Structures are given as structure tokens and as C-alpha cells.
Amino acid sequence: MAAKQTLTITDNRTGKSYELPIEDGTIKAMDLRQIASGPGDFGLMTYDPAFMNTAACRSAITFIDGDKGILEYRGYPIEEIADKATFLEVAYLLNEGELPAAAQLERWERDIRFHTYVHTNIIKFLEGFRYDAHPMGMLLGVVGALSTFYPDAKDIHDPENRYIQRVRLLAKLPTIAAFCFRHSRGLPYEFPRNDLDYIGNFVNMTFSIGGKHEPNAVLQRALEILLILHADHEQNCSTSAVRAVGSSGVDPFSAVSAGIAALYGPLHGGANEAVLRMLDEIGDRSRIPAFIEKVKRGEGRLMGFGHRVYKSYDPRAKLIKQVAYDVFEQTGMNPMLEMAIELEQIALKDEYFISRKLYPNVDFYSGLIYQAMGYPTDYFTVLFAIGRLPGWLAQWEEMIKDHEQKIARPRQIYVGPARRQYVPIDGRR
Ligand code: ACO
């Protein structure tokens, strides 16, 4: 006989028992509300700071098994997707649920190409930033400002309208990102070239000098793979920010700028930068053993190792390592990469890292690759944002269509003072 899919809870305050349904390995937090100690009691809540054990939605987009090191987009293993698909195909897959047929892909690419230009007032807006403004600060400001250029984006309940806004964001983010890059360097803005593909156009807008840039197919495919590997990672911090802000009914430009703000934080988008700083600090291969010993004594961490979800090799890290070899074959071997490879070898054989299931994560090699491609360190997170955008948009769309969702509004446990009387200023100490 199949076991009953329920959970029986006895409240020892009242002696009452409750039988709650178990569905998809979860119980509904709202089912706990009926458990009250007596009249006037609000009912039981769950306490879960940082959402360590709470599913906030049902999602059909990305599957992760952290113990087995599995990542799938709409059921397709990341290894196959990264090997065979283009970034825009992946964006379509995440957003529309299926790989596009030839005609669908053609329309998708054409629609995105059609929207790559930004209003020239965006340039005036960018000029207001200081010469040394952080590119992520610029990016989140400009993307938020786009909502004022497209007031029709407020109509989030019209599917056709949502499609156009998602296309606009996918089309314009590389343009804005490239403009931020040019602003930081004091270079004139290079406008989109719609005869180029998505990645080729972005690279051209960032690196073209005097209207000329010699494309390198290996480096462009490497960048495309890195963006694909970052395209979605289910309910991470920035995606949760997009969903929470979007749940208020705001337009997608504002919701995505909240996602960019979340990604700006060093615990989320900035770890690859920290890997480069760490390699700089080690400075030489001969100093690796001493550095490892320092980490094992608890004095600092091996950056780019460990993950909250992956407790085996991050599947993206494996793929990125291969990309690193392809890129360095083009740009020349770099002593930093040699040091990273040796550091990884030593750590993977060390009992401290083995017993704690600490493996390289996606950030261990990505910073080195971006640096070799010519991007400055504070620009790495901008590349992450371009990669993650399809995921943010797919999750936003899924959230809007989900009838179980309402405005995101967690509960709290109040721990402040009990009710007291206002004290006039001369009575305060
Ligand atoms: N180097 C050395 N020791 C580590 C590391 C590390 N990178 N990561 C975890 N540990 C140790 C901890 O000290 C702890 O040891 P203890 O049990 O002896 O106290 C044990 O492993 C468990 O660590 P937690 O902090 O509980 O693991 P958690 O899952 O919370 O942390 C995190 C995950 C934040 C990614 C962590 O591994 C870390 O700080 N890594 C380095 C930073 C990094 O690379 N971040 C990028 C993450 S990927 C991304 O955001 C896109």
C-alpha cells in the first residue's frame, strides 16, 4: 500500500492533532495557520531567514541537483546547451519553454535586432555620470530609466505587450552595457550594427576603435558560452529580487533594474573579481602551499570554491575550464591561469576541501577569461547581467502568469519594544 502523503502534527500546547497534505515534498506554510494555541492566537507561522528551506514558487524553467552537480534549462542538460545552442536560442528556450523551430528563431532574432537602438536621450543621461562611475551603478540606473521611455510597459497583463518589453530589454541591454564601457574609457559611443549577430554586435560596440574591430570567432564563442552558462540559476538572489519587485505589478524595466542591483552585491555577482584579487595576493606559484595552509587555519577563504547549492563539482565550472583553455590558446598563457590550475589541483586533493565538499564554482575561471578578453575587473558583473537577463525575464513572465502568486510580502517576528507612550523632547534622556 502506498504511504499516505500527509504530515501529522500534534500541538503540545493544546493536545490537538492536525493532518497536513504533503505535495511535491513540501507542506504549505498557510496550512499551519489553523494551528493556534487558543482564541485570539494568529496561528503558527514558519521562520526562515534567507529562505534557506522555503519554496516561493513553482517553476518549470531551471532544474538544479546540487548534490549530483546537475543543471538543466527546461530539461536540457547545460552541457549540451552550452555545446550546441546560441545565446538567443537559449533566451528563447527559457522564455518560451521550447527550443525554437527555424521560423520562430528567425522571428525572435529579427525582433531583437530591430530593437537594439536606444533613444539618444540615454546618451545625455549617461553623460551625467562621473568618469569613474561603476558600470553596474550606471547599468541599473539606465535600465530603470528605460521605463520612462516606454510607459506602455506598465500594461503587464497583455501578453503581446510583455513580449515586446522582453524583446526590448534583450535587445537594448548589450547596447547600454557597451555604452557604459565606452563612458568609463572616455570613448565615443559605437552604435549597434544590425548586420552582426547578438554577440558580435556587443563585442563590436565595446571594442571598436575608429569604426574598426577585427572579430575573433573563438573569443566570441567563448563569451557566448559564458553568457549561456549564466542565463538562469532558478531562485537566486537577483532572480528573487526581480520576482519580488515585479510582484508589485511594476513594469519589467524597473523589476530588472532591481535584479541588476542585487547582482551588484559582492556575495552574488562579484566573486570572480575576488578570485583575481586572491591570485594577485598569492602572487607566485611557490606561495600556493602557504596560502592553502592559511585558508585551512580559517584565515580567509579560497575564493571561487564552494557553493550554497552545489556540493559536488559545479557543472558550469567544468565547462568554463574548457573555455579558459580555448581562450588562452588565442590570447597566450597567463601566469595567473597557471597559478589557478595549480591551486585547483592542490585543493581538490586536500582533505580539508574534500571533506567539506568544496569544489570550484562558476567564478573560479570566469574572471580570468574576461580579463584575457580585455574587460576591466569592475565590468565582469555587467557581463553576468547580460547573461542572466533571459532568466530574469523568463522568471518574471512565469510569475505574472502564476495564479497562485500575489504581491510578495513576507511575515516577521516582531522583537521590538512593547507598546509605550510618546515622550515629549524635554522628557527624553
Ligand atoms: N574556502 C575555504 N573554506 C570554505 C570555503 C572556501 N571557499 N567555503 C566554505 N568553506 C568552509 C567553511 O569555513 C565551513 O567550514 P567549517 O565547517 O569548518 O566551519 C564549511 O566549508 C561550510 O561553509 P559554509 O560557509 O557553511 O558554506 P555555505 O554553503 O554557506 O557557503 C559560499 C557557500 C558562500 C559560496 C562559500 O563556499 C564561499 O564563501 N566561497 C567563496 C566565495 C565564492 O566563491 N563565492 C561564489 C559563489 S557562486 C556565485 O555566487 C555565482
Side-chain angles (χ1 to χ4, degrees):
M1 204 178 76
K4 244 172 129 183
Q5 294 300 306
T6 61
L7 177 74
T8 300
I9 299 176
T10 304
D11 184 347
N12 294 321
R13 299 171 301 178
T14 58
K16 278 196 203 161
S17 274
Y18 303 82
E19 190 172 352
L20 311 183
I22 298 177
E23 218 179 307
D24 300 318
T26 63
I27 57 161
K28 288 201 167 66
M30 277 304 283
D31 284 348
L32 298 173
R33 185 69 68 78
Q34 58 183 310
I35 306 177
S37 59
D41 182 351
F42 179 79
L44 213 57
M45 293 194 298
T46 54
Y47 176 57
D48 190 9
F51 303 111
M52 297 283 287
N53 196 37
T54 295
C57 62
R58 291 173 177 279
S59 182
I61 301 171
T62 289
F63 172 76
I64 300 175
D65 183 329
D67 290 329
K68 297 199 184 108
I70 295 173
L71 169 63
E72 294 169 358
Y73 294 161
R74 301 274 188 192
Y76 294 103
I78 191 66
E79 293 79 2
E80 277 183 52
I81 291 286
D83 186 37
K84 301 192 173 83
T86 65
F87 181 68
L88 285 189
E89 254 183 297
V90 173
Y92 186 97
L93 171 69
L94 291 171
N95 276 269
E96 305 297 316
E98 295 295 337
L99 284 169
Q104 289 167 322
L105 183 61
E106 202 186 311
R107 180 188 167 207
W108 179 243
E109 289 178 346
R110 190 191 57 224
D111 288 351
I112 290 171
R113 191 169 287 143
F114 187 78
H115 286 279
T116 49
Y117 269 66
V118 290
H119 195 289
T120 47
N121 281 3
I122 290 284
I123 292 176
K124 292 192 195 144
F125 191 91
L126 273 169
E127 277 162 4
F129 287 110
R130 282 173 54 116
Y131 71 96
D132 60 350
H134 194 289
M136 279 299 273
M138 290 194 269
L139 194 72
L140 81 89
V142 175
V143 170
L146 280 185
S147 71
T148 67
F149 290 82
Y150 303 105
D152 57 320
K154 284 189 177 59
D155 185 9
I156 59 160
H157 298 297
D158 172 13
E160 195 48 38
N161 191 352
R162 290 200 304 272
Y163 175 83
I164 294 167
Q165 310 314 334
R166 282 184 289 140
V167 162
R168 279 189 173 136
L169 267 158
L170 285 164
K172 293 179 198 308
L173 193 69
T175 310
I176 297 168
F179 281 13
C180 294
F181 182 92
R182 309 286 288 197
H183 176 86
S184 301
R185 288 180 142 55
L187 288 167
Y189 302 114
E190 189 69 38
F191 289 95
R193 265 189 49 196
N194 293 338
D195 58 316
L196 299 174
D197 66 15
Y198 193 79
I199 305 291
N201 176 47
F202 170 66
V203 172
N204 189 66
M205 286 188 293
T206 43
F207 293 120
S208 175
I209 295 289
K212 289 205 180 79
H213 171 71
E214 203 55 58
N216 178 320
V218 175
L219 294 190
Q220 289 197 9
R221 180 60 192 158
L223 178 61
E224 184 161 40
I225 293 173
L226 286 182
L227 298 187
I228 290 171
L229 296 179
H230 285 90
D232 196 53
H233 213 231
E234 49 120 302
Q235 307 312 313
N236 57 87
C237 178
S238 59
T239 301
S240 301
V242 171
R243 277 182 173 261
V245 172
S247 77
S248 73
V250 77
D251 66 273
F253 299 102
S254 304
V256 165
S257 83
I260 298 173
L263 196 63
Y264 196 175
L267 295 185
H268 190 6
N272 51 13
E273 230 180 290
V275 172
L276 288 192
R277 275 200 304 273
M278 172 188 77
L279 293 173
D280 252 349
E281 184 197 319
I282 300 172
D284 190 83
R285 287 162 76 172
S286 63
R287 287 209 280 273
I288 292 176
F291 178 78
I292 296 265
E293 286 313 309
K294 210 174 102 183
V295 167
K296 285 161 62 176
R297 286 197 303 272
E299 299 165 24
R301 290 198 162 186
L302 179 50
M303 300 313 289
F305 261 66
H307 196 276
R308 171 60 59 78
V309 175
Y310 293 115
K311 299 299 172 195
S312 81
Y313 216 103
D314 178 341
R316 300 168 302 171
K318 262 189 218 158
L319 297 163
I320 284 184
K321 193 172 171 185
Q322 185 50 49
V323 171
Y325 284 117
D326 295 346
V327 166
F328 283 97
E329 219 168 82
Q330 299 287 311
T331 62
M333 200 63 178
N334 167 323
M336 288 263 241
L337 178 71
E338 284 169 5
M339 214 156 59
I341 293 169
E342 193 162 327
L343 194 57
E344 183 192 353
Q345 294 307 324
I346 293 175
L348 287 175
K349 286 193 207 109
D350 192 297
E351 186 48 32
Y352 175 93
F353 297 94
I354 295 170
S355 63
R356 288 170 180 78
K357 299 188 175 166
L358 299 170
Y359 296 91
N361 60 46
V362 70
D363 291 310
F364 193 68
Y365 287 105
S366 62
L368 285 163
I369 299 173
Y370 292 144
Q371 191 185 50
M373 287 175 170
Y375 296 101
T377 313
D378 63 0
Y379 200 73
F380 296 169
T381 325
V382 172
L383 299 168
F384 191 161
I386 296 174
R388 184 54 53 88
L389 181 64
W392 289 335
L393 294 174
Q395 301 268 354
W396 172 75
E397 177 76 15
E398 186 175 66
M399 183 267 307
I400 303 251
K401 286 193 197 148
D402 182 346
H403 297 300
E404 281 191 314
Q405 293 294 337
K406 296 174 189 290
I407 184 166
R409 201 325 187 166
R411 292 276 172 182
Q412 65 165 12
I413 301 171
Y414 177 69
V415 293
R419 189 186 177 97
R420 48 187 173 162
Q421 260 191 332
Y422 178 79
V423 182
I425 195 150
D426 49 9
R428 295 175 210 161
R429 268 168 260 276

